[in-house]
Amino acid sequence: MSPVNVRVPAKINLCLGVGPVRDDGYHPLATVYQAVDLHDEVRATVREDDAITVTVHSDVDARSEVAVVPVDDDNLAVRAARLLRDRTGVSAGVDLAIRKVIPVAGGMAGGSADAAASLVACNEAWGTGLARPALEVLAGQLGSDVPFLLHGGNAVGGGRGETVSPVLARGSYHWVFAMAHDGLSTKAVFAEFDRINAGRTVAEPAVPDPLLAALRAGDAEALGAALSNDLTEAALSLRPELEDTLSIGIEAGALGAILSGSGPTALFLASDEQHSLDIAFALTSAAGCADVVQSRGPVPGARLV
């Protein structure tokens, strides 16, 4: 059988509300996701034996971030393939080849994106024939962001982020991403959030109404003003230099500036393509930026190519 190729986008959080830690160690979240046109690709090639292997490479990563991506059973794409095989009774194995473009540990769900792509690719390669709703159930068992990356577009996320509901939205948005030199552990950021908030009353999270109204209207300026992230204080506590990056983008006239998820990628909303170029140019002087990327969203989720 010929290899199956799937492209999957990165995600950003237009808002990220974080509630008090639960007994199971997770935090309730309220977020609005947007998928953006920064894509990883996963190729699945069926094996005759039952082995599941993964290789990872990047054409654009001069910093060799891919060296920290696991290439064993800890890789989310491998876990996705095993979960699909266990649920469907397939006996064959698969070789997974991941081409990374989404930054590693950058708060843009690169690992979750690869898991979503692996589900779609292996479902096709093995001929298991699961419909999207069945894949979404499996996706929810793999991680908070994986179900959204099957959907793409814009969506509200609840629970740990794994419950996804489409959002009524208009328009396309211009973004600039400032990539940091080093990644930031999601686990470490949430631990810092808990440390900072020890003794404080942490409210249950909710999606801000002004943000949803801005998306319905397709109003980029209103959307920029409504961006929010409850993990910002924790991420800046661990990486204070990110505050300088955010300031440079704001001084360049960004409509809004925010850290993506748990960071350290900073994202900036522009009014149009030329404005996006101006912000990107300003950010190239930021000492904390390893790379600056222009992007647009929303885009579809994991798709066969």
Side-chain angles (χ1 to χ4, degrees):
M1 182 178 293
S2 300
V4 173
N5 293 284
V6 172
R7 295 182 80 219
V8 62
K11 67 84 188 171
I12 58 176
N13 300 87
L14 304 183
C15 67
L16 182 57
V18 181
V21 64
R22 304 186 313 206
D23 291 341
D24 63 3
Y26 289 101
H27 297 74
L29 304 177
T31 187
V32 174
Y33 293 114
Q34 185 172 109
V36 295
D37 64 349
L38 194 64
H39 291 87
D40 280 1
E41 294 188 7
V42 174
R43 184 178 72 243
T45 306
V46 176
R47 298 173 59 103
E48 293 184 1
D49 60 21
D50 65 354
I52 296 177
T53 71
V54 63
T55 57
V56 184
H57 75 281
S58 172
D59 298 334
V60 298
D61 188 5
R63 291 165 290 147
S64 300
E65 285 180 332
V66 295
V68 304
V69 178
V71 289
D72 54 19
D73 287 353
D74 288 332
N75 187 289
L76 264 179
V78 172
R79 289 169 53 191
R82 289 196 183 281
L83 180 61
L84 177 65
R85 188 169 68 177
D86 290 346
R87 294 302 170 89
T88 58
V90 169
S91 58
V94 68
D95 292 323
L96 300 171
I98 301 174
R99 177 178 175 270
K100 293 295 298 178
V101 173
I102 303 170
V104 177
M108 301 182 79
S112 295
D114 297 340
S118 178
L119 286 175
V120 174
C122 292
N123 187 50
E124 181 73 13
W126 285 331
T128 48
L130 294 188
R132 280 294 171 121
L135 291 179
E136 289 166 13
V137 172
L138 298 182
Q141 298 175 38
L142 291 164
S144 300
D145 298 324
V146 184
F148 170 70
L149 290 159
L150 289 175
H151 281 272
N154 296 292
V156 170
R160 293 182 288 109
E162 80 283 5
T163 60
V164 177
S165 304
V167 169
L168 181 62
R170 298 174 58 194
S172 180
Y173 299 91
H174 297 264
W175 298 98
V176 181
F177 303 133
M179 313 299 191
H181 289 281
D182 299 299
L184 190 53
S185 162
T186 298
K187 183 178 180 180
V189 174
F190 273 97
E192 183 68 1
F193 175 87
D194 291 337
R195 186 194 69 78
I196 290 171
N197 288 286
R200 299 180 183 176
T201 299
V202 179
E204 290 298 320
V207 172
D209 289 336
L211 188 141
L212 294 176
L215 285 173
R216 287 194 299 269
D219 186 334
E221 188 169 343
L223 179 62
L227 299 175
S228 64
N229 184 348
D230 286 353
L231 292 179
T232 299
E233 185 181 8
L236 293 181
S237 174
L238 296 173
R239 298 281 290 277
E241 70 276 11
L242 296 175
E243 192 159 5
D244 291 337
T245 302
L246 292 170
S247 296
I248 289 171
I250 292 169
E251 290 170 4
L255 302 180
I258 192 175
L259 294 181
S260 182
S262 57
T265 301
L267 58 93
F268 305 89
L269 182 58
S271 56
D272 54 33
E273 188 169 355
Q274 181 57 52
H275 189 204
S276 172
L277 191 61
D278 293 342
I279 295 170
F281 181 76
L283 286 165
T284 58
S285 66
C289 290
D291 196 10
V292 180
V293 177
Q294 295 169 259
S295 185
R296 295 185 72 173
V299 299
R303 293 292 183 272
L304 296 166
V305 293

